[in-house]
Amino acid sequence: MEALQVSNLTINSHRGKYKVKFDNSDIKLKKCSFVLIDANVSKLYPAIVLGLDPNKVIVIEANEKNKSLKFCQDLMSTLISKGIKKNHELVAIGGGIIQDITGFIASIIFRGISWSFYPTTLLSQADSCIGSKTSINFLNIKNLVGTFYPPKEVVCNVNFLNTLKKSEIKSGIGEILHYYIYDGNPKTFEIEKKYNNILTDRSALTSHIQESLKIKKIMIQKDEFDTGQRRVFNYGHTFGHAIESLSNYSVPHGQAVTLGMDLANYISYKLGFLNLDKFTMLRRILTKNKPKFNLSGRIDDYMTLLSKDKKNIDNSIICILASDFGRLFIHKINDKENLKQIILEFFRDNNEKYS
């Protein structure tokens, strides 16, 4: 693959500036670092940790079950037993789950130590690698516990994308689309037009990774702690996280978000915020990346998960709706029974009635 011809990004955060470097060369790690690496990445790329002290390399199964307080507690015990000190650095190599586990531990052990991140999935390269958030699942609720603790450095190597499954590429595309629709970005239609090519030609993703991070960078520098404008990036996530949980995480995150965006748009349409033409246009784009999912009579479980979303205030459900392509807004839903009926209709029609 040709060298990635894009500029590095510099992100301003509450802990200072950090860089996102685009580098396709071999990873070179400091021998004093403690490395937390995805088990699958370790198997595919054994040379990454070659020459490092095996005592300082911890291989982790990247699944949602391990993104828990219990697992992080056990992992910290392991690190302490292996001699980690406050002046040491944690290095995360993997996708968003490895990032969350590493960033969360780095933020609390010894009241905070340095960490860096080598994202290996499209989802992590195009989205989660910047923004400071670390998130852990709790009580079967997605990302309920976490901190804001950015890495010292992020290094993106797009060659890692060559070994990803199509489902993992689709997951990353879901998050890219969520930024593009927020931004009203014309590259949305490029994904629609070249979708099948993007799934097979991973080099075609380079420009989308860069564009997605540029959009996110502008927002997180305005609202790093997610208390104001940045909340619009929860578009598709409120409904998507509940789909993930209900499917026991068999639906990949970014595809759950894709379905969540379509549901959010449907709610916008039914509540009169989004006209039929715009809803149909957005559905046409999102349908290419939507997963198969059947609510199967679990509407009450789904509503319970929605009510426990960390963004909610009082007894209301807070979600992000669209009034147009490039126009998202925060909406507070008090009438849960009406919302329930809209969601039932959405899934009952199998997304066909308005397509």
Side-chain angles (χ1 to χ4, degrees), residues 208-254:
H208 294 293
I209 293 169
Q210 183 78 356
E211 189 70 16
S212 184
L213 290 180
K214 282 181 179 178
I215 295 167
K216 186 173 183 179
K217 172 189 169 176
I218 293 169
M219 178 62 80
I220 61 176
Q221 290 185 158
K222 292 178 183 175
D223 181 19
E224 184 176 7
F225 296 111
D226 204 10
T227 58
Q229 301 173 68
R230 183 177 174 180
R231 289 187 294 165
V232 296
F233 283 167
N234 289 316
Y235 174 54
H237 286 66
T238 299
F239 303 110
H241 283 167
I243 290 166
E244 280 185 90
S245 296
L246 207 59
S247 74
N248 199 24
Y249 301 103
S250 63
V251 178
H253 172 73

Side-chain angles (χ1 to χ4, degrees), residues 161-282:
L161 306 185
N162 292 327
T163 51
L164 296 183
K165 299 174 184 176
K166 278 189 178 181
S167 61
E168 294 172 294
I169 296 298
K170 289 179 179 181
S171 189
I173 288 173
E175 284 289 7
I176 291 170
L177 283 173
H178 131 275
Y179 287 117
Y180 283 2
I181 292 172
Y182 151 78
D183 191 55
N185 198 293
K187 287 178 78 67
T188 310
F189 305 103
E190 183 180 318
I191 287 184
E192 180 191 15
K193 184 178 179 181
K194 301 179 180 179
Y195 184 80
N196 292 329
N197 177 61
I198 287 171
L199 291 180
T200 54
D201 179 10
R202 307 300 163 81
S203 64
L205 289 162
T206 297
S207 66
H208 294 293
I209 293 169
Q210 183 78 356
E211 189 70 16
S212 184
L213 290 180
K214 282 181 179 178
I215 295 167
K216 186 173 183 179
K217 172 189 169 176
I218 293 169
M219 178 62 80
I220 61 176
Q221 290 185 158
K222 292 178 183 175
D223 181 19
E224 184 176 7
F225 296 111
D226 204 10
T227 58
Q229 301 173 68
R230 183 177 174 180
R231 289 187 294 165
V232 296
F233 283 167
N234 289 316
Y235 174 54
H237 286 66
T238 299
F239 303 110
H241 283 167
I243 290 166
E244 280 185 90
S245 296
L246 207 59
S247 74
N248 199 24
Y249 301 103
S250 63
V251 178
H253 172 73
Q255 284 198 277
V257 168
T258 305
L259 186 53
M261 286 188 282
D262 191 43
L263 175 52
N265 296 341
Y266 185 76
I267 293 166
S268 293
Y269 166 68
K270 296 297 287 185
L271 295 180
F273 299 123
L274 184 67
N275 70 41
L276 181 59
D277 287 344
K278 292 296 170 61
F279 169 72
T280 303
M281 182 267 285
L282 290 171

